[in-house]
Amino acid sequence: KNLVLVQETAGEDWLTPDWFRLGASSLLNDLLMQREKLATGRYAGPDYFTLDS
């Protein structure tokens, strides 16, 4: 499921050990911020997403 999520959200290029690790605590926020950048051309800051503490 995680691999499908990454591929559908960020693309096949992200399916490498250099870009994607299972268990990364900030993976969801990183994917959401990257998706926002791809959609708007701007990188949204962490203020718009929940942060791990």
Side-chain angles (χ1 to χ4, degrees):
K1 291 180 183 179
N2 287 333
L3 295 175
V4 172
L5 175 67
V6 171
Q7 183 175 3
E8 290 180 355
T9 305
E12 190 170 328
D13 292 340
W14 280 66
L15 295 177
T16 67
D18 294 330
W19 291 100
F20 176 69
R21 321 181 270 135
L22 292 174
S25 62
S26 60
L27 174 63
L28 179 58
N29 286 338
D30 290 343
L31 288 173
L32 291 172
M33 287 189 279
Q34 183 63 27
R35 186 175 180 188
E36 183 71 15
K37 180 179 183 264
L38 292 172
T40 66
R42 296 182 314 270
Y43 190 78
D47 294 340
Y48 296 97
F49 302 98
T50 58
L51 297 176
D52 297 331
S53 46

